[in-house]
């Protein structure tokens, strides 16, 4: 495997190619997402083998595969539940970076209780008409397509009346509004759908099967968000037609950095940054600081080894029940502890944050500190992971009910038609 990717890169990587040309080569050769099945533009590799490929691409000095929710969530979900034509149409464009995707799941009244969603899909001849509102939509402003959950039948129990659709985002009837976070950024959006259209046949996994398909997407999401994962190969170019990166020179994206949402690998790297900060300001000699640093290092190592254990078991066709939920909880805990220790090490400087490029420059000149901006942004962001991708409480419920077999809270949502349930019941 290592020889295969290295040999292929030597023959094909050229920094003067456009991003579009390079990603098409990478995707059609199966190297963008080698974890996908062979019939879905992958190579059927394990997650561990996939990480090795990603790291090999980075080590070679080539641009990594197109990132985003298309490769992370949409492609593996369609590979499991999509038809042959859907795999050809959607996954091909994802691995080649031609189309970017967003996730249209959560609603203002259906976050933790996702199955309580009320966005409606009504069949009108040869197309579905969609009305409703979605929220916390990452990358919605640059997405070409969306993974949409909508209620196609309100007269059956709520988990049975949901359908999973692929929807074109660039159409009349879809409005995307950014949601400004307390970090100063707008990673998320709210999306309003007013008589938006979806062609008949764009359902993934079949009518009324949306809850099952969504659970596949959520499992991929939790595995991707959890502590202990990550690789070196995240590309700096953005996929899709709206980001306007496809026709730029691929080699131009190999320098510099992108400031964005902290991910698993960044969280692990932050511990090293905190150690350096503690050394520079003399706090590394404090027993309490040393204990906190040791705890963070230990938690990151436990997460990393748990991830390796899961990979090894998957090779044998085995699994650790609830491992994605455990990893998600671990990341939330590590981020909170990182926030608390980082602000303690910064002292008063940790109470000031810059919300844009110009303000960061001014603040760095007035109170210089190489790590301060990263720490304050991560500290403001630390509240997010315990909410998005399924709250910590939801992760505990899933582990309790599905892994440990504890009884669910009694309700009628499995038997009563959704239209007859009290709101959010």
């Amino acid at each position: 495997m290592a020889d295969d990717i290295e040999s292929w890169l030597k023959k094909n990587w050229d920094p003067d190619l456009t991003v579009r040309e390079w990603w098409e080569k990478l995707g059609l050769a199966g190297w963008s997402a080698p974890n996908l099945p062979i019939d879905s533009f992958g190579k059927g590799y394990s997650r561990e083998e996939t990480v090795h490929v990603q790291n090999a691409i980075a080590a070679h000095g080539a641009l990594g595969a197109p990132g985003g929710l298309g490769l992370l969530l949409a492609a593996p979900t369609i590979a499991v539940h999509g038809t042959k034509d859907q795999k050809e149409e959607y996954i091909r464009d994802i691995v080649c970076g031609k189309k970017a995707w967003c996730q249209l799941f959560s609603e203002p009244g259906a976050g933790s209780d996702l199955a309580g969603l009320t966005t409606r899909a009504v069949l009108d001849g040869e197309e579905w008409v969609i009305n409703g509102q979605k929220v916390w939509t990452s990358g919605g402003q640059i997405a070409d397509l969306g993974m949409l959950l909508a209620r196609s039948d309100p007269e059956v129990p709520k988990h049975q009346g949901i359908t999973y659709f692929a929807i074109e985002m660039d159409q009349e009837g879809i409005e995307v509004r950014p949601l400004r976070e307390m970090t100063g950024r707008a990673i998320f959006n709210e999306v309003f759908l007013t008589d938006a259209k979806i062609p008949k046949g764009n359902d993934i996994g079949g009518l009324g099967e949306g809850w099952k398909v969504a659970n596949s997407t959520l499992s991929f999401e939790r595995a991707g968000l959890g502590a202990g994962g990550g690789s070196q190969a995240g590309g700096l170019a953005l996929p899709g037609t709206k980001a306007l990166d496809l026709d730029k020179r691929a080699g131009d994206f190999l320098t510099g950095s992108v400031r964005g949402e902290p991910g698993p690998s960044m969280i692990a790297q932050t511990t090293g940054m905190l150690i350096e900060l503690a050394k520079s300001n003399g706090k590394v000699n404090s027993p309490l600081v040393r204990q906190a640093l040791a705890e963070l290092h230990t938690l990151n190592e436990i997460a990393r080894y748990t991830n390796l254990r899961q990979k090894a078991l998957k090779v044998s066709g085995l699994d650790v029940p609830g491992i994605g939920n455990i990893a998600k909880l671990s990341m939330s805990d590590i981020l909170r502890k990182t926030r608390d220790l980082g602000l303690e090490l910064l002292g008063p400087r940790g109470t000031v944050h810059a919300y844009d490029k110009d303000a960061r420059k001014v603040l760095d000149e007035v109170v210089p500190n190489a790590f301060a901006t990263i720490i304050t942004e991560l500290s403001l962001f630390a509240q997010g992971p315990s909410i998005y991708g399924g709250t910590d409480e939801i992760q505990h419920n899933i582990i309790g009910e599905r892994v440990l077999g504890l009884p669910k809270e009694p309700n009628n949502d499995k038997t009563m038609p959704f239209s007859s349930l009290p709101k959010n019941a």
Side-chain angles (χ1 to χ4, degrees):
M1 174 196 66
D3 291 342
D4 290 344
I5 179 61
E6 189 58 38
S7 173
W8 187 88
L9 287 166
K10 287 178 180 178
K11 293 177 182 178
N12 290 276
W13 167 243
D14 178 354
D16 289 326
L17 291 171
T18 65
V19 173
R20 184 193 306 274
E21 291 168 338
W22 168 241
W23 275 347
E24 184 164 357
K25 284 177 175 283
L26 198 69
L28 297 184
W31 295 120
S32 283
N35 57 302
L36 292 176
I38 294 173
D39 70 349
S40 299
F41 299 94
K43 292 183 176 291
Y45 283 4
S46 68
R47 185 177 178 184
E48 183 176 13
E49 291 171 323
T50 298
V51 170
H52 282 313
V53 168
Q54 294 169 338
N55 290 341
I57 294 171
H60 189 83
L63 177 65
L69 299 187
L71 211 61
L72 179 67
L73 304 182
T77 300
I78 296 169
V80 173
H81 298 282
T83 64
K84 181 179 179 181
D85 289 343
Q86 288 171 342
K87 293 174 186 179
E88 176 66 29
E89 177 182 358
Y90 296 129
I91 300 181
R92 182 190 179 96
D93 281 351
I94 290 171
V95 298
C96 293
K98 293 181 179 179
K99 296 293 179 67
W101 287 65
C102 64
Q103 185 180 10
L104 300 166
F105 279 22
S106 295
E107 299 181 2
S112 295
D113 178 25
L114 179 59
L117 62 89
T118 57
T119 293
R120 284 296 313 276
V122 177
L123 187 61
D124 181 14
E126 293 300 308
E127 61 185 10
W128 293 90
V129 180
I130 312 298
N131 284 279
Q133 180 185 352
K134 297 293 180 175
V135 75
W136 312 124
T137 304
S138 302
Q141 76 279 16
I142 59 168
D144 298 290
L145 293 114
M147 299 165 268
L148 173 72
L149 286 185
R151 188 162 302 282
S152 51
D153 187 352
E155 302 308 321
V156 296
K158 66 180 184 179
H159 294 84
Q160 299 174 27
I162 297 171
T163 298
Y164 191 116
F165 295 98
I167 184 171
E168 293 281 350
M169 294 294 291
D170 190 15
Q171 63 168 288
E172 186 178 350
I174 295 183
E175 180 184 2
V176 180
R177 300 179 189 171
L179 289 172
R180 186 72 53 187
E181 307 154 33
M182 60 182 175
T183 60
R185 304 188 185 279
I187 297 173
F188 304 107
N189 302 272
E190 53 184 346
V191 179
F192 296 86
L193 302 110
T194 306
D195 292 335
K197 305 297 193 298
I198 300 177
K200 189 177 179 181
N202 274 32
D203 57 283
I204 309 296
L207 296 180
E209 298 295 328
W211 186 248
K212 178 176 69 176
V213 183
N215 272 288
S216 293
T217 301
L218 293 172
S219 69
F220 294 126
E221 180 178 39
R222 286 158 188 157
L225 292 175
S231 74
Q232 302 175 30
L236 300 184
L238 294 174
T241 61
K242 298 180 183 178
L244 305 180
D245 283 345
L246 292 178
D247 293 318
K248 296 177 182 177
R249 180 177 178 272
D252 292 342
F253 289 91
L254 299 178
T255 58
S257 62
V258 172
R259 297 176 54 82
E261 178 179 338
S265 57
M266 177 183 170
I267 295 166
Q269 295 166 12
T270 304
T271 303
M273 181 181 65
L274 294 179
I275 292 172
E276 293 304 313
L277 178 59
K279 288 178 178 178
S280 68
N281 64 17
K283 294 185 178 182
V284 75
N285 295 319
S286 164
L288 293 178
V289 169
R290 295 175 70 88
Q291 177 64 28
L293 288 169
E295 182 181 14
L296 272 176
H297 174 76
T298 302
L299 289 172
N300 275 302
E301 285 296 286
I302 290 172
R304 185 171 70 86
Y305 278 111
T306 299
N307 188 40
L308 291 173
R309 177 190 176 203
Q310 172 71 349
K311 291 174 184 175
L313 285 171
K314 280 199 169 183
V315 172
S316 304
L318 302 175
D319 197 8
V320 179
I323 192 65
N325 311 97
I326 293 169
K328 175 74 164 49
L329 287 168
S330 176
M331 185 184 72
S332 296
D333 186 41
I334 290 171
L335 258 178
R336 287 190 293 268
K337 287 181 166 61
T338 300
R339 171 199 64 197
D340 296 345
L341 179 58
L343 293 178
E344 180 181 346
L345 292 175
L346 282 180
R349 172 62 179 84
T351 64
V352 186
H353 181 66
Y355 294 93
D356 57 45
K357 183 179 179 180
D358 292 337
R360 280 194 291 273
K361 182 178 179 181
V362 172
L363 189 55
D364 288 342
E365 290 174 353
V366 176
V367 192
N369 187 304
F371 304 123
T373 299
I374 298 173
I375 291 173
T376 56
E377 178 151 345
L378 189 143
S379 298
L380 290 169
F381 181 79
Q383 289 61 245
S386 62
I387 300 172
Y388 69 65
T391 65
D392 283 2
E393 291 75 19
I394 289 295
Q395 309 305 324
H396 286 127
N397 283 347
I398 292 173
I399 293 170
E401 295 169 7
R402 301 182 191 175
V403 180
L404 301 179
L406 300 176
K408 289 189 66 173
E409 215 174 290
N411 58 53
N412 297 321
D413 66 359
K414 298 291 186 185
T415 56
M416 185 178 290
F418 178 77
S419 60
S420 301
L421 286 175
K423 189 175 182 182
N424 293 330

